[in-house]
């Protein structure tokens, strides 16, 4: 079995919504970098839909993203994980019951082609 540090080989950026005042003195929500973390990304499931009327293709891919337990404070369903330009929407976070030093974020990547 591989050690945790050898499995966490993907560096990702976690973005979250932050309220900020714009130049018109209005409060807007914008995405801001919260943290850069190391993780293991495992693709789990995928679905492809052909949209003939629009002549396009819609792909939905689910991922299991494993982090150290200490990274849990940066993860929530409102945040987004970005890895090499791919945007992974966090659906939910669960503890890894067999290995208590880890936490798992289940994410969805949606692509329109």
């Amino acid at each position: 079995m591989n050690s945790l540090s050898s499995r966490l080989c993907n560096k990702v950026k976690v973005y979250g919504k932050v309220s900020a005042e714009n130049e018109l003195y209005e409060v807007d929500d914008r995405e801001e970098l919260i943290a850069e973390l190391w993780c293991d990304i495992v693709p789990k499931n995928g679905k492809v839909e052909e949209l003939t009327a629009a002549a396009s293709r819609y792909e939905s891919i689910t991922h299991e993203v494993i982090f150290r337990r200490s990274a849990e404070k940066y993860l929530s369903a409102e945040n987004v994980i970005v890895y090499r330009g791919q945007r992974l929407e966090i659906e939910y976070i669960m503890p890894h019951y067999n290995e208590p030093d880890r936490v798992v974020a289940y994410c969805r990547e949606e692509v329109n082609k």
Side-chain angles (χ1 to χ4, degrees):
M1 183 172 183
N2 294 337
S3 68
L4 180 59
S5 60
S6 67
R7 288 192 60 201
L8 304 181
C9 59
N10 302 307
K11 190 172 186 178
V12 297
K13 295 180 180 183
V14 179
Y15 288 90
K17 297 218 185 268
V18 176
S19 294
E21 194 172 271
N22 63 17
E23 59 276 354
L24 298 174
Y25 304 106
E26 300 169 333
V27 177
D28 286 337
D29 287 337
R30 61 182 172 91
E31 283 189 352
E32 189 172 286
L33 179 65
I34 296 174
E36 291 186 16
L37 304 170
W38 291 94
C39 67
D40 183 23
I41 302 173
V42 181
K44 287 295 182 183
N45 193 0
K47 180 175 82 170
V48 177
E49 288 183 42
E50 298 287 337
L51 304 174
T52 56
S56 64
R57 184 175 163 157
Y58 173 78
E59 297 175 0
S60 179
I61 305 161
T62 56
H63 300 274
E64 184 178 275
V65 186
I66 301 168
F67 294 94
R68 285 185 175 86
R69 172 72 75 178
S70 60
E72 188 173 16
K73 62 186 170 190
Y74 303 110
L75 304 172
S76 74
E78 292 82 33
N79 296 349
V80 175
I81 297 170
V82 176
Y83 175 68
R84 294 186 181 175
Q86 295 174 321
R87 189 177 169 88
L88 306 175
E89 306 283 336
I90 300 174
E91 292 187 335
Y92 55 94
I93 295 111
M94 291 181 58
H96 196 290
Y97 294 109
N98 294 334
E99 297 164 353
D101 60 337
R102 302 172 194 197
V103 65
V104 181
Y106 291 90
C107 304
R108 179 174 306 281
E109 176 187 10
E110 297 182 354
V111 181
N112 287 326
K113 292 184 178 183

